Amino acid sequence: MIPSSSSATKNPITTIAPQNPNLCLPTLRLSHFHLRPTQCSFQNQNPNIINTLAKPRTHLFGIITPSPVFPQKGNISRGYEEKRGFAQAGGQQMALLCGFGYWMQGFRCFPWLALNFHMANNLNLHPSLLQLVQYSANLPMVAKPLYGILSDAISIGGAHRIPYILIGVLMQVLSWGPLGFIPVAREALPTLLACVLLGNLGASITEVAKDALVAEYGQKHKKTGLQSYAFMASAVGGILGNLLGGCFLLKTPPQNMFIIFAFLLSIQLTISSTAREESLGLSQLSHHIFAKKSIWENIGKQLSGLKKALREESISCPLIWIVASIATVPALSGSIFCYQMQCLHLDPSVIGLSRVIGQLMLLSMSILYDRYWKEVPMRKLIGAMQFLYAASLLLDFVLVRQINLRHGIPNEVFVCCFSGLAETLAQFKLLPFSVLLASLCPKGFEGSLTSFLASALCLSSILGGFLGVGLASFMGITAGNYSNLPIVILIQFVAALLPLRWIQLVPSQPIVKKDRKKGVSKRTRKSRRIGRVVLGSIYVYRRERESETQR
């Protein structure tokens, strides 16, 4: 290209000076544009062939410019291969780190199934006390916003997510290990509750770091809907955990299952210790800025950013709905579990198989959501799921009143097929909200917002559990008296329908809108663009020249 001079920039008459004037356009006068002298891109080529590499410098009239100067071929291929290899390595590391992490999160039902049977059979806990222990153990998860703010504001070794995953996994190893190896830890209720609280504290820290890592990675690499894949991995872990848990309880004592889970946690600890956030491309400028400030300034910045995000109606309204829809429904998991064990005398394998079927349904629904249901309006989808969840609660009413036996369905078959449906729908209902809030999460506050969502969900679950304990105690449900349990289930059904009254808080638009552009192929659109830009430009130039010659 011929460099432009100062006189050329001031003169509206611009010259195009090709080496071969027979193949290019002659000198033109453009009265409305200031153009630099340029060499024709058609030189030494067939004039009947359009140079597809030439790109217009402006889209107004498609002015022809020469092809840009490219680096050497070797440098391009080497840089491309390096970039491609880096992306592949980061994706594989992310899949291994979070895939196995979410699988372990779902596999936590394996030791918890053993713990429930241990408390019911070996410790002979009251149904209400059993449920109280179950939901009290989740209290460390209420403080998830604190863990999220700390992971956003404070880096450990230059990283913000993986070190917290390591800390959480280590705390779980120190929790389930003593339950398996030390008899006093599992026989005395205070020490058992202390170990369970420590384990759930570590699990909550790990979950916060993983959720923030997934949200940050999805925004960084423009990958939406990673939460659905996390649900799939968790569902697969739940399937295997419940299936193996029911089989192991028939042959081994619960402490052996605690030891197995502690061994799997040590494997997760090893995998997480080998991962690096730099290979995932997650080093952000905000993190480097935070490093220059004090810890309290970083925490204050995260708190102010979290408050600002929660003031947005697009975030606060769906969050209020999902929290209220869980907190207003009394949970009866402890009473139903003890009824199945003490009155129906079901084997542990039957209860484990029922949860396996529930996790299979959750996995199938997660796949359907990722493939099709993300394009369904969110209010319509959530309303349907809430109604189905309320209806599925009546299945416990059918079981308690033994209506299934009147139709020739044994208790074992009914529990296997229908007992886990309500829990499955309750878990799946969280997936659209997780995807929505992850897509709306401000950059640099992934851990704060996702942990606040998880904490709010956990708090609402605890409130629902305590409400169920109070309702069961008020109705006189004990280990030997379940006569009022059908009435309590009907109250639970009515309470599950109440959230439909404020369903307007849920967004009516789908989370992912379907691209409906059809008809024209990519090659056809390219040809039309070339014809409009290049040939249209030549036509404009010819009209300008003819008008000047007529003058």
Side-chain angles (χ1 to χ4, degrees):
M1 180 181 294
I2 302 175
S4 59
S5 61
S6 59
S7 61
T9 57
K10 296 179 181 179
N11 193 346
I13 301 177
T14 305
T15 59
I16 301 178
Q19 295 178 358
N20 190 351
N22 295 326
L23 298 180
C24 301
L25 300 174
T27 304
L28 303 176
R29 174 180 297 178
L30 300 178
S31 58
H32 301 288
F33 296 93
H34 299 276
L35 303 178
R36 294 182 298 177
T38 181
Q39 193 176 11
C40 181
S41 62
F42 295 101
Q43 62 183 16
N44 301 325
Q45 298 182 13
N46 190 341
N48 297 323
I49 299 177
I50 299 176
N51 186 5
T52 57
L53 294 177
K55 297 182 179 180
R57 186 170 298 275
T58 177
H59 59 275
L60 295 177
F61 287 97
I63 301 174
I64 303 173
T65 57
S67 301
V69 180
F70 294 100
Q72 296 180 0
K73 185 177 181 180
N75 296 334
I76 294 177
S77 60
R78 184 171 62 253
Y80 175 77
E81 292 296 333
E82 291 175 357
K83 184 177 181 180
R84 181 182 178 185
F86 176 80
Q88 289 178 350
Q92 292 175 358
Q93 191 177 45
M94 184 68 181
L96 179 62
L97 178 64
C98 285
F100 187 74
Y102 280 104
W103 183 88
M104 285 294 296
Q105 180 176 335
F107 197 75
R108 290 181 64 222
C109 62
F110 178 78
W112 267 100
L113 185 61
L115 184 63
N116 289 333
F117 274 93
H118 174 70
M119 290 188 295
N121 295 335
N122 299 336
L123 301 183
N124 297 320
L125 295 185
H126 189 275
S128 298
L129 181 59
L130 174 63
Q131 183 170 334
L132 190 62
V133 172
Q134 290 175 341
Y135 285 94
S136 298
N138 293 328
L139 287 175
M141 297 188 176
V142 179
K144 279 186 174 182
L146 176 60
Y147 317 143
I149 291 173
L150 292 178
S151 66
D152 282 339
I154 303 175
S155 63
I156 301 176
H160 285 256
R161 311 300 180 198
I162 295 180
Y164 291 92
I165 295 178
L166 292 174
I167 294 174
V169 174
L170 181 60
M171 295 175 69
Q172 294 182 72
V173 173
L174 297 177
S175 168
W176 293 103
L179 287 177
F181 290 104
I182 304 176
V184 179
R186 61 178 178 270
E187 296 300 333
L189 184 60
T191 56
L192 184 145
L193 184 58
C195 290
V196 171
L197 287 172
L198 179 63
N200 280 353
L201 176 61
S204 60
I205 295 175
T206 304
E207 291 172 9
V208 166
K210 288 201 308 288
D211 292 342
L213 186 64
V214 168
E216 190 175 353
Y217 185 85
Q219 290 186 352
K220 183 75 174 180
H221 299 279
K222 309 299 181 182
K223 295 182 181 294
T224 58
L226 289 179
Q227 287 73 20
S228 59
Y229 293 100
F231 262 69
M232 295 177 196
S234 179
V236 171
I239 292 170
L240 190 59
N242 286 308
L243 183 61
L244 294 179
C247 297
F248 270 69
L249 283 174
L250 295 176
K251 299 180 179 180
T252 61
Q255 56 264 27
N256 292 341
M257 299 175 64
F258 302 152
I259 296 174
I260 293 173
F261 188 69
F263 174 73
L264 292 176
L265 286 171
S266 63
I267 296 177
Q268 183 184 5
L269 187 66
T270 304
I271 294 175
S272 302
S273 62
T274 59
R276 295 292 180 269
E277 293 186 15
E278 292 80 5
S279 60
L280 302 177
L282 296 181
S283 57
Q284 295 182 357
L285 181 61
S286 59
H287 292 167
H288 297 289
I289 294 176
F290 286 161
K292 299 178 181 179
K293 298 180 180 179
S294 64
I295 294 177
W296 295 111
E297 289 179 350
N298 297 342
I299 294 176
K301 183 177 180 64
Q302 291 297 316
L303 286 174
S304 61
L306 179 61
K307 293 178 181 179
K308 183 177 179 181
L310 293 176
R311 291 193 187 102
E312 298 290 336
E313 292 186 358
S314 59
I315 295 177
S316 61
C317 290
L319 184 62
I320 291 173
W321 189 92
I322 187 62
V323 169
S325 66
I326 298 174
T328 54
V329 180
L332 303 174
S333 57
S335 300
I336 298 296
F337 179 79
C338 291
Y339 174 79
Q340 293 176 354
M341 289 292 301
Q342 298 172 0
C343 293
L344 301 182
H345 305 288
L346 298 178
D347 291 336
S349 59
V350 175
I351 298 178
L353 187 59
S354 68
R355 297 185 179 181
V356 168
I357 296 176
Q359 292 295 325
L360 282 173
M361 289 188 292
L362 178 62
L363 177 61
S364 302
M365 295 174 69
S366 301
I367 295 174
L368 290 174
Y369 175 79
D370 185 69
R371 295 288 300 273
Y372 307 107
W373 293 349
K374 284 192 294 187
E375 301 169 2
V376 178
M378 188 173 177
R379 184 181 300 172
K380 181 179 179 181
L381 177 64
I382 295 300
M385 289 301 159
Q386 185 67 24
F387 180 79
L388 291 176
Y389 168 69
S392 64
L393 294 175
L394 294 178
L395 296 174
D396 292 331
F397 179 84
V398 174
L399 181 65
V400 173
R401 297 299 298 267
Q402 295 290 277
I403 300 176
N404 56 298
L405 295 180
R406 302 174 191 172
H407 294 81
I409 303 176
N411 291 328
E412 291 80 4
V413 176
F414 189 85
V415 169
C416 285
C417 297
F418 303 109
S419 180
L421 181 59
E423 184 179 357
T424 299
L425 293 174
Q427 292 180 12
F428 174 77
K429 188 177 64 174
L430 307 179
L431 176 57
F433 291 93
S434 300
V435 176
L436 175 65
L437 295 183
S439 62
L440 299 176
C441 182
K443 187 176 180 180
F445 300 92
E446 295 86 359
S448 303
L449 186 58
T450 55
S451 61
F452 185 86
L453 170 64
S455 174
L457 295 177
C458 182
L459 180 60
S460 62
S461 177
I462 292 175
L463 292 177
F466 288 167
L467 182 62
V469 170
L471 181 62
S473 300
F474 178 77
M475 298 298 294
I477 296 177
T478 60
N481 183 14
Y482 294 96
S483 58
N484 291 330
L485 186 57
I487 300 176
V488 177
I489 294 175
L490 291 178
I491 296 174
Q492 186 186 30
F493 165 72
V494 175
L497 293 176
L498 291 179
L500 295 176
R501 294 183 58 88
W502 57 84
I503 192 66
Q504 66 274 6
L505 295 177
V506 179
S508 58
Q509 298 83 7
I511 298 178
V512 177
K513 296 183 180 179
K514 186 176 182 180
D515 188 8
R516 301 186 179 275
K517 294 183 179 180
K518 299 180 180 179
V520 184
S521 64
K522 189 174 182 180
R523 178 174 294 183
T524 305
R525 291 196 302 268
K526 184 177 181 181
S527 301
R528 290 185 179 181
R529 184 171 64 250
I530 292 174
R532 287 197 304 267
V533 173
V534 180
L535 297 180
S537 303
I538 295 175
Y539 179 71
V540 170
Y541 288 146
R542 286 179 177 175
R543 288 204 325 184
E544 290 285 344
R545 186 186 176 193
E546 290 176 359
S547 62
E548 289 186 5
T549 54
Q550 291 177 359
R551 292 178 185 175

Short mmCIF file of all heavy atoms in Angstrom, two decimals, residues 136-178:
data_model
loop_
_atom_site.label_atom_id
_atom_site.label_comp_id
_atom_site.label_asym_id
_atom_site.label_seq_id
_atom_site.Cartn_x
_atom_site.Cartn_y
_atom_site.Cartn_z
N SER A 136 -30.65 -30.18 61.14
CA SER A 136 -29.70 -29.38 61.91
C SER A 136 -28.29 -29.53 61.36
O SER A 136 -27.47 -28.61 61.47
CB SER A 136 -29.73 -29.80 63.39
OG SER A 136 -31.00 -29.58 63.95
N ALA A 137 -28.00 -30.69 60.78
CA ALA A 137 -26.68 -30.89 60.19
C ALA A 137 -26.43 -29.99 59.00
O ALA A 137 -25.27 -29.78 58.60
CB ALA A 137 -26.51 -32.36 59.78
N ASN A 138 -27.48 -29.43 58.42
CA ASN A 138 -27.33 -28.54 57.27
C ASN A 138 -27.12 -27.08 57.66
O ASN A 138 -27.03 -26.22 56.78
CB ASN A 138 -28.57 -28.63 56.38
CG ASN A 138 -28.69 -29.98 55.71
OD1 ASN A 138 -27.69 -30.62 55.40
ND2 ASN A 138 -29.92 -30.42 55.48
N LEU A 139 -27.03 -26.80 58.95
CA LEU A 139 -26.85 -25.41 59.39
C LEU A 139 -25.56 -24.78 58.84
O LEU A 139 -25.56 -23.58 58.52
CB LEU A 139 -26.86 -25.33 60.92
CG LEU A 139 -28.24 -25.52 61.58
CD1 LEU A 139 -28.10 -25.54 63.10
CD2 LEU A 139 -29.18 -24.40 61.15
N PRO A 140 -24.43 -25.49 58.71
CA PRO A 140 -23.24 -24.84 58.12
C PRO A 140 -23.46 -24.35 56.70
O PRO A 140 -22.76 -23.43 56.24
CB PRO A 140 -22.18 -25.95 58.17
CG PRO A 140 -22.59 -26.83 59.28
CD PRO A 140 -24.09 -26.83 59.24
N MET A 141 -24.41 -24.93 55.99
CA MET A 141 -24.66 -24.51 54.62
C MET A 141 -25.40 -23.18 54.54
O MET A 141 -25.46 -22.58 53.47
CB MET A 141 -25.45 -25.59 53.88
CG MET A 141 -24.70 -26.90 53.75
SD MET A 141 -25.52 -28.09 52.67
CE MET A 141 -24.31 -29.43 52.69
N VAL A 142 -25.97 -22.74 55.66
CA VAL A 142 -26.63 -21.43 55.66
C VAL A 142 -25.61 -20.31 55.49
O VAL A 142 -25.92 -19.24 54.96
CB VAL A 142 -27.44 -21.25 56.96
CG1 VAL A 142 -28.12 -19.90 57.02
CG2 VAL A 142 -28.49 -22.36 57.07
N ALA A 143 -24.38 -20.54 55.94
CA ALA A 143 -23.33 -19.51 55.85
C ALA A 143 -22.60 -19.54 54.51
O ALA A 143 -21.49 -19.02 54.41
CB ALA A 143 -22.33 -19.71 56.99
N LYS A 144 -23.19 -20.11 53.49
CA LYS A 144 -22.55 -20.17 52.19
C LYS A 144 -22.20 -18.80 51.61
O LYS A 144 -21.18 -18.66 50.93
CB LYS A 144 -23.41 -20.95 51.20
CG LYS A 144 -23.26 -22.46 51.34
CD LYS A 144 -24.02 -23.18 50.24
CE LYS A 144 -23.74 -24.68 50.29
NZ LYS A 144 -24.44 -25.41 49.20
N PRO A 145 -23.02 -17.75 51.80
CA PRO A 145 -22.59 -16.44 51.29
C PRO A 145 -21.26 -15.98 51.84
O PRO A 145 -20.47 -15.34 51.14
CB PRO A 145 -23.73 -15.51 51.72
CG PRO A 145 -24.92 -16.39 51.83
CD PRO A 145 -24.40 -17.69 52.33
N LEU A 146 -20.99 -16.30 53.10
CA LEU A 146 -19.69 -15.95 53.67
C LEU A 146 -18.56 -16.65 52.94
O LEU A 146 -17.54 -16.04 52.62
CB LEU A 146 -19.67 -16.30 55.16
CG LEU A 146 -18.33 -16.06 55.89
CD1 LEU A 146 -17.94 -14.59 55.82
CD2 LEU A 146 -18.43 -16.54 57.33
N TYR A 147 -18.75 -17.94 52.65
CA TYR A 147 -17.71 -18.67 51.93
C TYR A 147 -17.54 -18.11 50.51
O TYR A 147 -16.42 -18.03 50.00
CB TYR A 147 -18.06 -20.16 51.84
CG TYR A 147 -18.59 -20.76 53.11
CD1 TYR A 147 -19.60 -21.73 53.09
CD2 TYR A 147 -18.09 -20.37 54.35
CE1 TYR A 147 -20.09 -22.28 54.26
CE2 TYR A 147 -18.59 -20.91 55.53
CZ TYR A 147 -19.59 -21.86 55.47
OH TYR A 147 -20.09 -22.39 56.63
N GLY A 148 -18.65 -17.73 49.88
CA GLY A 148 -18.56 -17.17 48.53
C GLY A 148 -17.85 -15.83 48.52
O GLY A 148 -17.04 -15.55 47.63
N ILE A 149 -18.15 -14.99 49.50
CA ILE A 149 -17.48 -13.69 49.57
C ILE A 149 -15.98 -13.87 49.83
O ILE A 149 -15.14 -13.19 49.23
CB ILE A 149 -18.14 -12.82 50.67
CG1 ILE A 149 -19.56 -12.42 50.24
CG2 ILE A 149 -17.31 -11.58 50.96
CD1 ILE A 149 -20.33 -11.71 51.33
N LEU A 150 -15.65 -14.80 50.71
CA LEU A 150 -14.23 -15.05 50.99
C LEU A 150 -13.51 -15.58 49.75
O LEU A 150 -12.37 -15.18 49.47
CB LEU A 150 -14.10 -16.04 52.15
CG LEU A 150 -14.53 -15.54 53.52
CD1 LEU A 150 -14.40 -16.65 54.56
CD2 LEU A 150 -13.72 -14.32 53.95
N SER A 151 -14.15 -16.46 49.00
CA SER A 151 -13.50 -16.99 47.80
C SER A 151 -13.36 -15.95 46.72
O SER A 151 -12.41 -16.00 45.92
CB SER A 151 -14.29 -18.20 47.27
OG SER A 151 -15.56 -17.80 46.81
N ASP A 152 -14.28 -15.00 46.66
CA ASP A 152 -14.15 -13.91 45.67
C ASP A 152 -13.10 -12.89 46.09
O ASP A 152 -12.40 -12.32 45.25
CB ASP A 152 -15.50 -13.20 45.49
CG ASP A 152 -16.46 -13.99 44.62
OD1 ASP A 152 -15.97 -14.85 43.86
OD2 ASP A 152 -17.67 -13.78 44.72
N ALA A 153 -13.02 -12.61 47.39
CA ALA A 153 -12.19 -11.50 47.85
C ALA A 153 -10.78 -11.90 48.25
O ALA A 153 -9.86 -11.10 48.13
CB ALA A 153 -12.87 -10.80 49.04
N ILE A 154 -10.60 -13.12 48.72
CA ILE A 154 -9.30 -13.53 49.25
C ILE A 154 -8.76 -14.68 48.42
O ILE A 154 -9.41 -15.71 48.27
CB ILE A 154 -9.42 -13.96 50.73
CG1 ILE A 154 -10.01 -12.83 51.57
CG2 ILE A 154 -8.06 -14.38 51.28
CD1 ILE A 154 -10.28 -13.21 53.01
N SER A 155 -7.59 -14.47 47.87
CA SER A 155 -6.94 -15.53 47.09
C SER A 155 -5.93 -16.27 47.97
O SER A 155 -5.31 -15.69 48.86
CB SER A 155 -6.22 -14.93 45.87
OG SER A 155 -5.19 -14.05 46.29
N ILE A 156 -5.80 -17.55 47.71
CA ILE A 156 -4.84 -18.39 48.42
C ILE A 156 -3.87 -18.94 47.38
O ILE A 156 -4.25 -19.75 46.53
CB ILE A 156 -5.54 -19.54 49.16
CG1 ILE A 156 -6.56 -18.97 50.17
CG2 ILE A 156 -4.53 -20.43 49.87
CD1 ILE A 156 -7.36 -20.04 50.87
N GLY A 157 -2.63 -18.49 47.46
CA GLY A 157 -1.66 -18.92 46.47
C GLY A 157 -1.96 -18.42 45.07
O GLY A 157 -1.63 -19.09 44.09
N GLY A 158 -2.62 -17.25 44.97
CA GLY A 158 -2.95 -16.70 43.67
C GLY A 158 -4.19 -17.29 43.04
O GLY A 158 -4.50 -16.95 41.89
N ALA A 159 -4.93 -18.15 43.73
CA ALA A 159 -6.14 -18.77 43.19
C ALA A 159 -7.32 -18.49 44.12
O ALA A 159 -7.15 -18.31 45.32
CB ALA A 159 -5.95 -20.27 43.04
N HIS A 160 -8.51 -18.48 43.54
CA HIS A 160 -9.71 -18.11 44.28
C HIS A 160 -10.72 -19.24 44.44
O HIS A 160 -11.67 -19.10 45.20
CB HIS A 160 -10.42 -16.94 43.60
CG HIS A 160 -9.74 -15.62 43.79
ND1 HIS A 160 -10.20 -14.66 44.66
CD2 HIS A 160 -8.62 -15.12 43.24
CE1 HIS A 160 -9.40 -13.61 44.63
NE2 HIS A 160 -8.43 -13.86 43.75
N ARG A 161 -10.56 -20.33 43.71
CA ARG A 161 -11.56 -21.41 43.77
C ARG A 161 -10.97 -22.73 44.24
O ARG A 161 -11.47 -23.34 45.18
CB ARG A 161 -12.20 -21.59 42.38
CG ARG A 161 -12.67 -20.31 41.73
CD ARG A 161 -13.72 -19.60 42.55
NE ARG A 161 -14.15 -18.35 41.89
CZ ARG A 161 -14.77 -17.37 42.51
NH1 ARG A 161 -15.03 -17.46 43.80
NH2 ARG A 161 -15.12 -16.28 41.86
N ILE A 162 -9.94 -23.20 43.58
CA ILE A 162 -9.40 -24.53 43.85
C ILE A 162 -8.89 -24.68 45.29
O ILE A 162 -9.12 -25.73 45.91
CB ILE A 162 -8.32 -24.88 42.82
CG1 ILE A 162 -8.95 -24.98 41.42
CG2 ILE A 162 -7.63 -26.19 43.17
CD1 ILE A 162 -7.99 -25.31 40.32
N PRO A 163 -8.20 -23.68 45.88
CA PRO A 163 -7.80 -23.85 47.28
C PRO A 163 -8.97 -24.06 48.24
O PRO A 163 -8.86 -24.84 49.20
CB PRO A 163 -7.04 -22.55 47.60
CG PRO A 163 -6.55 -22.08 46.28
CD PRO A 163 -7.61 -22.46 45.30
N TYR A 164 -10.09 -23.42 47.97
CA TYR A 164 -11.26 -23.62 48.83
C TYR A 164 -11.87 -25.00 48.61
O TYR A 164 -12.43 -25.59 49.55
CB TYR A 164 -12.29 -22.52 48.56
CG TYR A 164 -11.83 -21.16 49.03
CD1 TYR A 164 -11.16 -20.29 48.18
CD2 TYR A 164 -12.06 -20.74 50.34
CE1 TYR A 164 -10.72 -19.05 48.60
CE2 TYR A 164 -11.64 -19.50 50.78
CZ TYR A 164 -10.97 -18.66 49.91
OH TYR A 164 -10.53 -17.44 50.34
N ILE A 165 -11.78 -25.52 47.39
CA ILE A 165 -12.21 -26.90 47.15
C ILE A 165 -11.36 -27.86 47.97
O ILE A 165 -11.87 -28.81 48.58
CB ILE A 165 -12.15 -27.22 45.65
CG1 ILE A 165 -13.16 -26.36 44.88
CG2 ILE A 165 -12.43 -28.70 45.40
CD1 ILE A 165 -13.14 -26.59 43.38
N LEU A 166 -10.05 -27.62 47.99
CA LEU A 166 -9.15 -28.48 48.77
C LEU A 166 -9.47 -28.42 50.25
O LEU A 166 -9.50 -29.46 50.94
CB LEU A 166 -7.70 -28.05 48.52
CG LEU A 166 -7.14 -28.29 47.11
CD1 LEU A 166 -5.76 -27.67 46.98
CD2 LEU A 166 -7.08 -29.78 46.82
N ILE A 167 -9.73 -27.24 50.76
CA ILE A 167 -10.05 -27.09 52.20
C ILE A 167 -11.34 -27.83 52.53
O ILE A 167 -11.43 -28.55 53.53
CB ILE A 167 -10.15 -25.60 52.57
CG1 ILE A 167 -8.79 -24.93 52.44
CG2 ILE A 167 -10.70 -25.43 53.98
CD1 ILE A 167 -8.82 -23.42 52.63
N GLY A 168 -12.36 -27.68 51.68
CA GLY A 168 -13.63 -28.34 51.95
C GLY A 168 -13.54 -29.85 51.89
O GLY A 168 -14.12 -30.56 52.72
N VAL A 169 -12.79 -30.37 50.90
CA VAL A 169 -12.65 -31.83 50.79
C VAL A 169 -11.87 -32.38 51.98
O VAL A 169 -12.20 -33.45 52.52
CB VAL A 169 -11.97 -32.19 49.46
CG1 VAL A 169 -11.68 -33.68 49.39
CG2 VAL A 169 -12.84 -31.77 48.29
N LEU A 170 -10.84 -31.66 52.42
CA LEU A 170 -10.07 -32.11 53.57
C LEU A 170 -10.92 -32.17 54.84
O LEU A 170 -10.81 -33.11 55.65
CB LEU A 170 -8.87 -31.18 53.78
CG LEU A 170 -7.93 -31.53 54.95
CD1 LEU A 170 -7.33 -32.92 54.76
CD2 LEU A 170 -6.85 -30.48 55.10
N MET A 171 -11.79 -31.19 55.02
CA MET A 171 -12.68 -31.20 56.18
C MET A 171 -13.65 -32.39 56.13
O MET A 171 -13.98 -32.97 57.17
CB MET A 171 -13.45 -29.88 56.26
CG MET A 171 -12.56 -28.67 56.51
SD MET A 171 -13.47 -27.11 56.45
CE MET A 171 -14.47 -27.24 57.92
N GLN A 172 -14.08 -32.76 54.94
CA GLN A 172 -14.97 -33.93 54.83
C GLN A 172 -14.23 -35.23 55.15
O GLN A 172 -14.80 -36.14 55.76
CB GLN A 172 -15.55 -34.00 53.42
CG GLN A 172 -16.49 -32.86 53.08
CD GLN A 172 -17.07 -33.00 51.69
OE1 GLN A 172 -17.92 -33.84 51.43
NE2 GLN A 172 -16.60 -32.17 50.77
N VAL A 173 -12.96 -35.31 54.75
CA VAL A 173 -12.16 -36.49 55.09
C VAL A 173 -12.02 -36.61 56.61
O VAL A 173 -12.14 -37.71 57.18
CB VAL A 173 -10.78 -36.42 54.41
CG1 VAL A 173 -9.88 -37.55 54.90
CG2 VAL A 173 -10.93 -36.49 52.90
N LEU A 174 -11.77 -35.47 57.27
CA LEU A 174 -11.63 -35.48 58.72
C LEU A 174 -12.96 -35.72 59.43
O LEU A 174 -12.97 -35.94 60.64
CB LEU A 174 -11.02 -34.14 59.19
CG LEU A 174 -9.61 -33.84 58.68
CD1 LEU A 174 -9.16 -32.46 59.16
CD2 LEU A 174 -8.63 -34.91 59.14
N SER A 175 -14.06 -35.64 58.71
CA SER A 175 -15.37 -35.87 59.30
C SER A 175 -15.80 -37.33 59.18
O SER A 175 -16.13 -37.98 60.17
CB SER A 175 -16.42 -34.97 58.64
OG SER A 175 -17.73 -35.36 58.99
N TRP A 176 -15.79 -37.86 57.96
CA TRP A 176 -16.28 -39.22 57.73
C TRP A 176 -15.26 -40.28 58.15
O TRP A 176 -15.63 -41.42 58.44
CB TRP A 176 -16.66 -39.41 56.27
CG TRP A 176 -17.85 -38.59 55.87
CD1 TRP A 176 -17.84 -37.43 55.16
CD2 TRP A 176 -19.21 -38.86 56.19
NE1 TRP A 176 -19.12 -36.96 55.00
CE2 TRP A 176 -19.98 -37.82 55.62
CE3 TRP A 176 -19.86 -39.88 56.88
CZ2 TRP A 176 -21.37 -37.78 55.73
CZ3 TRP A 176 -21.24 -39.84 56.99
CH2 TRP A 176 -21.98 -38.81 56.42
N GLY A 177 -13.97 -39.91 58.17
CA GLY A 177 -12.96 -40.86 58.61
C GLY A 177 -13.15 -41.30 60.06
O GLY A 177 -13.20 -42.51 60.36
N PRO A 178 -13.27 -40.37 61.02
CA PRO A 178 -13.52 -40.79 62.41
C PRO A 178 -14.82 -41.56 62.60
O PRO A 178 -14.89 -42.46 63.46
CB PRO A 178 -13.56 -39.45 63.18
CG PRO A 178 -12.72 -38.53 62.35
CD PRO A 178 -12.98 -38.93 60.93
#
